[in-house]
Amino acid sequence: AQSVTQLGSHVSVSEGALVLLRCNYSSSVPPYLFWYVQYPNQGLQLLLKYTSAATLVKGINGFEAEFKKSETSFHLTKPSAHMSDAAEYFCASTSSGGYNKLIFGAGTRLAVHP
Amino acid sequence: GAVVSQHPSWVICKSGTSVKIECRSLDFQATTMFWYRQFPKQSLMLMATSNEGSKATYEQGVEKDKFLINHASLTLSTLTVTSAHPEDSSFYICSAEPTTSSYEQYFGPGTRLTVT
């Protein structure tokens, strides 16, 4: 079955440090890929998306992600973490069964400490 | 743009009663809306896909008679949890796919349901 794997359920970084959240997808056909952020008791906000155009995708709040087909990865990075980046991050992939169906990873909780 | 609202944002109901959750796309039309369920500290689980004017498609393991979905217009879908039980307590999130896009979904803020 198709799946999205996020390595590390919890990531902790210092303010100003590099943020790296890992995401791998399983699909024989390169899907569309998304990163969402969720703050407590809120819905999901789209950070960025890959839709088979440029492999390096820039999103909001200084985040970017690179699609690497050879590694089936779509890792999320940010050069310098802010306290406000502390949240839950979800990687999602479109399903081979239909482009409008999303498969979510388990999520990574990012903590940012002073 | 692309705002999705949910109402109510939280609801407490007694076991055995039914509760309706509304999902509205405020500034766009959505042929397709999705309903997700999220347990504490877990990911989103797709419950069903709702298409305007037709019956919803439920994911495996989701009871369609318990979770009634109606998508009466291009801007409104409703989820009714019938005969709710404590195990139905969860965070329910909807998303809407604009008619102009085939892969983008915009998410609502979620509804926290607590069944006592």
Side-chain angles (χ1 to χ4, degrees):
Chain A
Q2 201 172 342
S3 64
V4 174
T5 303
Q6 291 183 239
L7 291 175
S9 58
H10 289 80
V11 170
S12 181
V13 300
S14 299
E15 192 174 19
L18 171 72
V19 175
L20 171 60
L21 304 182
R22 300 176 187 275
C23 173
N24 288 87
Y25 66 91
S26 72
S27 174
S28 57
V29 177
Y32 293 171
L33 296 159
F34 307 83
W35 274 101
Y36 290 91
V37 61
Q38 183 181 35
Y39 296 98
N41 296 311
Q42 294 186 27
L44 274 66
Q45 181 183 9
L46 179 66
L47 281 176
L48 49 79
K49 60 181 183 281
Y50 165 76
T51 57
S52 72
T55 56
L56 181 62
V57 182
K58 294 187 183 298
I60 62 171
N61 301 340
F63 285 94
E64 64 180 38
E66 185 172 8
F67 172 74
K68 291 187 177 180
K69 183 179 177 181
S70 61
E71 299 177 8
T72 61
S73 69
F74 189 58
H75 302 332
L76 181 72
T77 60
K78 182 174 180 177
S80 177
H82 293 173
M83 298 295 288
S84 60
D85 294 327
E88 186 86 19
Y89 291 80
F90 292 98
C91 180
S93 163
T94 47
S95 166
S96 57
Y99 269 139
N100 63 354
K101 229 177 181 180
L102 292 180
I103 300 170
F104 283 87
T108 297
R109 182 166 298 276
L110 175 66
V112 182
H113 51 86
Chain B
V3 178
V4 176
S5 70
Q6 281 184 241
H7 179 79
S9 56
W10 60 270
V11 57
I12 301 173
C13 69
K14 291 189 175 182
S15 188
T17 62
S18 296
V19 61
K20 180 186 286 187
I21 302 170
E22 292 186 348
C23 176
R24 292 183 186 272
S25 55
L26 299 184
D27 50 4
F28 65 97
Q29 293 186 325
T31 305
T32 304
M33 289 185 173
F34 302 87
W35 287 97
Y36 296 86
R37 185 172 180 178
Q38 186 179 32
F39 291 102
K41 300 184 180 181
Q42 293 188 30
S43 188
L44 280 72
M45 181 190 78
L46 179 64
M47 298 174 66
T49 302
S50 164
N51 289 295
E52 186 265 339
S54 62
K55 290 184 178 180
T57 302
Y58 292 82
E59 295 299 301
Q60 192 171 11
V62 178
E63 298 176 61
K64 62 180 181 181
D65 294 330
K66 181 168 190 60
F67 298 100
L68 300 179
I69 292 172
N70 183 271
H71 193 157
S73 76
L74 289 174
T75 59
L76 173 65
S77 175
T78 60
L79 168 68
T80 300
V81 183
T82 62
S83 187
H85 289 95
E87 58 265 30
D88 299 324
S89 298
S90 190
F91 195 53
Y92 292 88
I93 302 175
C94 74
S95 70
E97 180 186 271
T99 54
T100 54
S101 170
S102 61
Y103 59 83
E104 293 202 42
Q105 294 183 30
Y106 296 95
F107 286 80
T111 297
R112 171 78 58 195
L113 170 63
T114 301
V115 185
T116 61

